[in-house]
């Protein structure tokens, strides 16, 4: 039984950015159907707002691609998609993000809350390429509740890596989105196989 507590449990949101979650985003045409089906953005708002109100800390794991990243010599299919669509573009570590790489406007009040921690960007799908695990340990978190995009890529990869690093995890599946229903269902299969809980947003809120 996954029992969250504000002092020990983090709310981890992967890639809450415009390119997959907002109309006009470079990948929105791929995710819009599951976003509509799940009411993903509204559910993210509900989860993040309730969590902060009840004393939980948010951790944001964003995806940024700098100009030199587009010169990678080898990639997997998911990376090829992001690079091909020119997603998540940022000029450098000191420049503001492009519109697509920027955070979804309605989520910014929670992301820019003084208690929220925004990790360094991950480059593929998991927190192995950023400092999320370090930040979680610095705040003495033992559990993580996950949501964001993509369901079967970054959310699932974060879930798997956090489990391997000794964190107990839950996934809020209707606060995620994928590029197809098949991909979403594949993620659901693995959430149920690996995570300690797979919840709707309403179920997650009831447990916070």
């Amino acid at each position: 039984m996954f029992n969250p507590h504000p002092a020990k449990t983090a709310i981890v949101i992967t890639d809450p950015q415009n390119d997959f979650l907002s109309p006009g985003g470079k990948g929105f045409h791929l995710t819009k159907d599951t976003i509509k089906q799940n009411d993903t953005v509204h559910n993210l708002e509900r989860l993040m707002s309730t969590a902060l109100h009840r004393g939980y800390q948010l951790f944001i794991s964003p995806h940024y691609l700098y100009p030199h990243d587009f010169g990678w010599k080898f990639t997997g299919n998911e990376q090829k998609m992001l690079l091909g669509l020119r997603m998540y573009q940022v000029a450098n570590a000191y420049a503001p993000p492009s519109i697509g790489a920027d955070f979804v406007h309605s989520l910014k009040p929670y992301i820019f809350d003084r208690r929220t921690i925004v990790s360094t960007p991950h480059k593929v799908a998991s927190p192995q390429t950023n400092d999320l695990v370090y930040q979680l340990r610095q705040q003495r978190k033992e559990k993580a509740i996950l949501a964001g995009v993509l369901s079967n890529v970054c959310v699932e990869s974060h879930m798997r890596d956090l489990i391997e690093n000794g964190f107990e995890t839950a996934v809020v599946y209707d606060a995620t989105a994928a590029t197809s229903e098949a991909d979403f269902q594949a993620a659901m299969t693995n959430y149920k196989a690996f995570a300690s809980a797979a919840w709707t947003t309403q179920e997650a809120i009831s447990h916070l």
Side-chain angles (χ1 to χ4, degrees):
M1 182 69 175
F2 187 100
N3 293 310
H5 185 280
K8 298 294 184 180
T9 306
I11 312 298
V12 176
I13 310 296
T14 65
D15 306 349
Q17 295 158 267
N18 288 318
D19 264 339
F20 270 135
L21 288 172
S22 299
K26 292 177 180 176
F28 184 74
H29 64 289
L30 299 171
T31 53
K32 63 181 181 180
D33 290 342
T34 57
I35 288 172
K36 181 178 180 180
Q37 172 186 304
N38 291 334
D39 202 11
T40 303
V41 175
H42 181 236
N43 284 332
L44 282 168
E45 290 178 36
R46 293 173 62 212
L47 176 65
M48 295 165 77
S49 173
T50 303
L52 281 176
H53 179 71
R54 296 183 183 174
Y56 289 83
Q57 191 171 20
L58 301 181
F59 290 75
I60 310 301
S61 183
H63 203 142
Y64 294 144
L65 292 171
Y66 303 132
H68 55 262
D69 296 326
F70 290 88
W72 288 340
K73 303 306 180 187
F74 59 92
T75 59
N77 287 332
E78 187 261 350
Q79 291 170 283
K80 285 181 182 178
M81 175 184 70
L82 299 183
L83 295 172
L85 291 171
R86 309 293 293 182
M87 292 181 64
Y88 296 139
Q89 291 187 74
V90 180
N92 55 61
Y94 308 101
S98 63
I99 293 173
D102 198 7
F103 297 124
V104 173
H105 182 74
S106 63
L107 304 180
K108 285 185 175 182
Y110 318 116
I111 295 171
F112 294 138
D113 184 278
R114 61 180 178 78
R115 295 165 290 176
T116 298
I117 291 175
V118 180
S119 74
T120 55
H122 58 269
K123 290 297 178 178
V124 185
S126 83
Q128 292 184 51
T129 52
N130 72 3
D131 68 349
L132 175 65
V133 170
Y134 184 80
Q135 297 293 352
L136 290 169
R137 297 213 185 279
Q138 280 291 337
Q139 299 301 319
R140 301 195 186 281
K141 303 305 181 188
E142 299 173 355
K143 303 181 181 186
I145 298 172
L146 289 150
V149 293
L150 293 170
S151 311
N152 63 316
V153 184
C154 291
V155 178
E156 183 177 330
S157 294
H158 276 64
M159 174 196 72
R160 289 173 177 266
D161 193 63
L162 291 177
I163 291 169
E164 297 276 4
N165 275 281
F167 294 90
E168 189 177 358
T169 68
V171 181
V172 185
Y173 60 84
D174 65 357
T176 77
T179 59
S180 70
E181 178 62 19
D183 285 353
F184 178 75
Q185 291 302 326
M188 284 294 300
T189 296
N190 290 324
Y191 297 161
K192 291 176 181 178
F194 287 98
S196 297
W199 289 331
T200 65
T201 300
Q202 189 56 48
E203 288 171 335
I205 287 172
S206 72
H207 283 90
L208 294 181

